Amino acid sequence: MLKRLLSYVSGNGKKKPRTYQRREIPRDQHNVSRSAISEPAKKVLSRLNNAGYEAYLVGGGVRDILLGGKPKDFDIATNATPEEVHDLFRNSRLIGRRFRIVHVLFGREVIEVTTFRGNAADADEEDDDDDRRTSEHGLLLRDNVYGSQEEDALRRDFTVNALYYCIRDFTVVDFANGIEDLKNRQMRLIGDPETRYREDPVRMLRAVRFAAKLGFDIEPETEAPIRELAPLLTHIPPARLFEEVLKLFSAGHGEATYDLLSEYNLLAPLFPETVQAINNGEPDELIRQALRNTDARIAKGKSVTPYFLFAAMLWPALQAEWRKRQDNGEPVQPALHQSIAKVIGRQVQATSIPKRFSGPMKEIWELQMRLPRRQGKRAFVTMSHPRFRAAYDFLLVREESGEIEPGLGQWWTEFQETDERGQERMLTQLGSDRPRKRRRKKPAKKA
Ligand code: ATP
Ligand code: MG
């Protein structure tokens, strides 16, 4: 057993083995208190314990409390099988995609319960093991081998994510020197970094996400292979990458995350068109400004919408394509529509964009052309568009980022705030301010 664990953490003997030892930190030596844990999470832990199973709080739940923060959600690890967990909780469902896990539902809160899993090297040695498969790139395709708590700890991604809290005796259990890395504020992969990234390239994104969110460094050996292995992310299904992008940019540290992603070549597999446009000289100031605003919104407890985020992330790509088409003589409006279709069509090969988000994203972009045209009834028609508010916010970001001269945003701000007479005045003034020579189409007569 010991030999196996050593071979696993050393990544097939390529590097000198790093030994890990189980360590128990008693209640008086850590700051995890029961009051920091949500009632539903405590309920699940107690019921599993009372039914005779081992159950621990694990992952971000323990990590964030130890750091004095508030966990986003609570994950529980247990020696009960998914079916056994499901039987204990009427309000639960078995989820079975990559891993079989159980979601226990309490209103809007979801407690994720996973069964202790075995580790990579053990299963890889057994050729006929059908529950664990890797692809030619080392990617884990299936991972349903159950194991001990120790094995479960060592197949987790980062040392600081492999800490367990026991609600029975209030101890924190550390298998991988996670406490030490937490103190030194660094993200360190458990085991051989290259092997672990090949198993699951999304771990590279997770390294960056946690580093940005927690203000941690990525430990040198964990950091070293990322730039080179970043293209492995193209093997990840677009739907999973879409979810990861949302996590990356909605944790309240979007701008820092963006910088790290760029630094580690991780932005290109996520937004290939955007990176290409930026490399060709398109500014990314709008993206930064949008992420700054998003971070500020999240700090105030406001929500962020995926379509706004994607509208910003793809804006440089759209701008480049749109300009290219206009340079080739296409009229503005059709060029925009063609560009939108093209940019989205290419993006969904990297990250999916569910229709409920791509629709509104397109509308935000299209409205950018309508916002300057306010004469007559137009301002009112535009303002009644369901996506007006988002498009107006987007316009403000464009102005703040210096992409366009400020002015129009302020006009719209006033137009929304003033009363009907004020609006009429603004429109009249607009007409006299900017006499425009326009060929009027005859208004279509209503029957
Ligand atoms: P947060 O919930 O704040 O995003 P977290 O660390 O709880 O952070 P989750 O995605 O909720 O992250 O996963 C829970 C735990 O499951 C992690 O802490 C880690 O131990 C393990 N885990 C998640 N994803 C992976 C992965 N790709 N490879 C290995 N272990 C993972
Ligand atoms: Mg979590």
Side-chain angles (χ1 to χ4, degrees), residues 58-61 63 72-75 112 206:
V58 68
R63 181 196 67 218
K72 180 169 68 77
D73 49 41
F74 291 95
D75 305 293
E112 200 164 288
R206 291 174 60 85

Side-chain angles (χ1 to χ4, degrees), residues 27-210:
R27 174 65 188 99
D28 57 352
Q29 287 171 36
H30 66 72
N31 64 340
V32 180
S33 82
R34 287 172 56 103
S35 62
I37 304 167
S38 77
E39 287 306 320
K42 279 189 280 206
K43 240 183 231 172
V44 175
L45 287 166
S46 308
R47 194 178 300 177
L48 281 165
N49 282 163
N50 292 341
Y53 300 111
E54 283 177 56
Y56 301 87
L57 193 66
V58 68
V62 186
R63 181 196 67 218
D64 292 351
I65 294 177
L66 280 167
L67 289 168
K70 201 171 173 300
K72 180 169 68 77
D73 49 41
F74 291 95
D75 305 293
I76 288 172
T78 177
N79 64 352
T81 64
E83 290 72 19
E84 287 168 336
V85 177
H86 185 50
D87 285 347
L88 268 185
F89 297 95
R90 269 198 315 158
N91 50 326
S92 71
R93 33 170 216 237
L94 277 162
I95 312 281
R97 273 206 257 138
R98 253 159 53 84
F99 305 134
R100 288 189 48 140
I101 56 178
V102 182
H103 279 175
V104 190
L105 315 166
F106 297 84
R108 283 172 60 194
E109 185 165 346
V110 180
I111 307 295
E112 200 164 288
V113 185
T114 51
T115 303
F116 292 153
R117 271 196 211 98
N119 71 49
D122 281 1
D124 284 349
E125 285 164 13
E126 289 153 32
D127 289 346
D128 56 351
D129 190 338
D130 205 38
D131 279 331
R132 184 148 187 134
R133 287 251 171 273
T134 52
S135 76
E136 55 184 315
H137 306 285
L139 190 78
L140 267 184
L141 300 177
R142 293 179 62 192
D143 187 11
N144 262 327
V145 188
Y146 299 137
S148 66
Q149 186 191 4
E150 185 164 19
E151 290 170 314
D152 184 75
L154 299 183
R155 65 100 204 154
R156 287 179 183 274
D157 47 9
F158 301 95
T159 61
V160 296
N161 285 352
L163 295 161
Y164 297 74
Y165 174 73
C166 174
I167 202 170
R168 270 197 293 212
D169 59 10
F170 313 124
T171 54
V172 169
V173 193
D174 181 0
F175 289 94
N177 301 332
I179 293 283
E180 196 185 312
D181 286 330
L182 206 72
K183 280 189 190 137
N184 295 329
R185 304 186 74 80
Q186 54 183 4
M187 298 307 301
R188 182 200 300 274
L189 267 177
I190 298 173
D192 172 59
E194 182 169 341
T195 311
R196 302 304 312 280
Y197 289 138
R198 285 188 182 280
E199 277 176 7
D200 183 3
V202 168
R203 288 170 185 153
M204 294 185 272
L205 298 178
R206 291 174 60 85
V208 160
R209 172 154 68 88
F210 295 128

Side-chain angles (χ1 to χ4, degrees), residues 256-273:
T257 304
Y258 175 80
D259 284 334
L260 286 178
L261 288 173
S262 310
E263 186 184 332
Y264 289 111
N265 301 346
L266 292 166
L267 201 61
L270 299 178
F271 294 99
E273 293 275 295

Side-chain angles (χ1 to χ4, degrees), residues 9-25:
V9 298
S10 67
N12 306 327
K14 261 189 278 175
K15 292 213 177 74
K16 71 173 188 305
R18 192 184 172 83
T19 48
Y20 293 121
Q21 231 179 12
R22 182 180 192 281
R23 210 167 301 157
E24 229 173 76
I25 299 105

Side-chain angles (χ1 to χ4, degrees), residues 263-293:
E263 186 184 332
Y264 289 111
N265 301 346
L266 292 166
L267 201 61
L270 299 178
F271 294 99
E273 293 275 295
T274 297
V275 170
Q276 199 186 349
I278 293 170
N279 288 345
N280 288 335
E282 203 64 47
D284 69 349
E285 206 32 59
L286 176 120
I287 294 181
R288 293 177 171 285
Q289 188 63 47
L291 292 174
R292 275 198 286 275
N293 294 5

Side-chain angles (χ1 to χ4, degrees), residues 219-262:
E219 175 276 328
E221 279 185 31
T222 298
E223 175 185 52
I226 299 183
R227 285 186 188 82
E228 199 180 317
L229 298 183
L232 288 178
L233 280 166
T234 55
H235 299 296
I236 301 297
R240 186 171 176 215
L241 286 188
F242 172 77
E243 293 298 328
E244 290 301 324
V245 166
L246 294 191
K247 287 187 204 166
L248 283 164
F249 294 121
S250 48
H253 304 271
E255 198 187 8
T257 304
Y258 175 80
D259 284 334
L260 286 178
L261 288 173
S262 310

